[in-house]
Amino acid sequence: MPELPEVEHLRRSLEPTLVGSLVTKAMLHRPDVLESPSGSVQDPERALLADARVTGLRRHGKQLAVISSDGRALRIHLGMSGRVDVAPWPERPSGDPAATHCHAAWQVRKTDGSTWWMGFRDPRRFGGLLALATPDELAELWRPLGPDAHLARPEDAVDALRGRRRQAKAALLDQAVLAGVGNIYADEALFAAGVHPLMSLHRLREPALVRLIAELQRILRAAIASGGSSLRDYRDASGAPGWFQTEHAVYGRGGLPCRVCGALLKESTVAGRTTSHCPRCQTRRPARSSCR
DNA sequence: CTGCTCCCCTGGGAGC
DNA sequence: TGCTCCCAGGGGAGCA
């Protein structure tokens, strides 16, 4: 599961293959991973953009959408374990372990005449594909989401958080507040900003909110530049892992010493998710943060 | 509104 | 080597 940086890295790595290309074949191996806003899908191949010319790849938060010239779009959500792979056609041999849990596949032809294979794999099937018939349907789908955590202007992201009576971590994880932040980057941003995960946002002063967003966006940018964090499943479209996980200051480091102050990081459950934070660097009153 | 709990599903690692 | 238990990047539903 990929969070925003992994999805953005995927979007960028798919662009050279997909944008401008023609979808010459679409295959659905597992019907229940494909839905439409109304629920059922009558014509799976058309829903998967068969015969479409791809004009762009858009991302909002953790969701990716393949846009075609006739208005159709396909929303890809990776869930916890989703991946999209591309490889030169013909399709990888069936014995290839990389072909397991491949629920949908495409053949695309680039303008240079080369033919490529693309596959959507998702072992846990928390992700999925959603077929949109028009640009309006995509807009409607994304309307409930908060501003994209990476693309939003800092002041707009601060607006999204300001005044909410919620625990800071719960708010960051809520896609309707700010889109794209998941468990890793929520913990990392809170640590970098010196904010305790249980701190109520409405008790944060303006400078603390500004700092939280600044640190969050800085970390997201750095993670995107690193190709994202690879824990277990995540790989980009060419199968390469990211390496941002080596930069994690708190995520997955419960019980280990804080890299800033040396205190032992605490692990707990916040908003239903495993959370680690530094008891010394992340106070409930971030204005008095003792580190950095 | 907010926060819980439970559920969806498979695979990998730890411990016995 | 094999079994069981627990955990995992996400998100939605139902309930207090």
Side-chain angles (χ1 to χ4, degrees):
Chain A
M1 165 293 71
E3 301 182 30
L4 186 156
E6 293 76 37
V7 179
E8 176 60 17
H9 180 72
L10 173 65
R11 190 189 72 77
R12 295 179 184 184
S13 59
L14 288 176
E15 265 184 336
T17 305
L18 287 188
V19 177
S21 297
L22 187 64
V23 179
T24 42
K25 201 181 285 186
M27 297 153 284
L28 185 61
H29 303 316
R30 182 160 186 130
D32 59 357
V33 303
L34 176 64
E35 291 186 318
S36 74
S38 64
S40 63
V41 172
Q42 329 76 320
D43 184 345
E45 290 187 17
R46 181 170 170 74
L48 291 176
L49 307 180
D51 303 320
R53 176 76 63 183
V54 177
T55 54
L57 292 171
R58 291 180 55 201
R59 181 192 58 74
H60 193 105
K62 302 168 191 173
Q63 302 188 39
L64 184 66
V66 182
I67 312 294
S68 89
S69 60
D70 66 11
R72 278 180 287 168
L74 185 69
R75 189 290 313 264
I76 299 174
H77 199 302
L78 301 178
M80 292 277 270
S81 59
R83 286 178 51 171
V84 177
D85 297 291
V86 294
W89 190 267
E91 187 173 352
R92 299 174 181 192
S94 56
D96 188 335
T100 57
H101 297 289
C102 182
H103 307 313
W106 297 262
Q107 182 193 58
V108 300
R109 188 165 68 231
K110 290 176 63 170
T111 50
D112 67 7
S114 62
T115 304
W116 295 74
W117 172 88
M118 181 170 89
F120 170 70
R121 298 195 289 125
D122 183 18
R124 292 179 72 181
R125 277 178 280 132
F126 286 176
L129 307 173
L130 191 70
L132 292 319
T134 65
D136 281 352
E137 284 193 0
L138 180 61
E140 191 64 16
L141 179 73
W142 284 355
R143 198 170 51 80
L145 297 176
D148 182 82
H150 169 61
L151 298 175
R153 295 184 309 160
E155 52 268 41
D156 292 334
V158 168
D159 282 349
L161 297 185
R162 189 186 295 112
R164 298 198 178 252
R165 311 180 71 85
R166 297 188 72 180
Q167 297 169 342
K169 173 144 182 186
L172 287 177
L173 291 178
D174 186 342
Q175 304 301 295
V177 172
L178 204 53
V181 184
N183 206 30
I184 296 177
Y185 299 102
D187 276 10
E188 294 299 316
L190 289 168
F191 171 78
V195 176
H196 192 288
L198 292 177
M199 177 78 185
S200 289
L201 282 183
H202 76 283
R203 292 183 51 224
L204 284 184
R205 305 259 181 237
E206 188 72 9
L209 275 184
V210 169
R211 182 178 174 200
L212 176 57
I213 290 300
E215 295 292 354
L216 172 64
Q217 295 196 317
R218 177 184 63 77
I219 289 167
L220 293 175
R221 281 192 298 270
I224 291 167
S226 302
S229 302
S230 291
L231 309 174
R232 308 172 193 85
D233 307 308
Y234 175 75
R235 294 292 185 280
D236 73 8
S238 63
W243 57 265
F244 194 70
Q245 65 277 8
T246 60
E247 305 288 310
H248 294 167
V250 287
Y251 178 83
R253 299 193 65 244
L256 296 173
C258 172
R259 288 179 171 157
V260 172
C261 76
L264 296 187
L265 299 179
K266 285 196 172 171
E267 195 161 280
S268 60
T269 298
V270 177
R273 312 296 296 278
T274 297
T275 298
S276 49
H277 78 279
C278 173
R280 200 183 299 171
C281 295
Q282 292 167 264
T283 64
R284 286 172 180 267
R285 285 158 297 165
R288 288 214 275 121
S289 171
S290 60
C291 297
R292 292 202 170 187

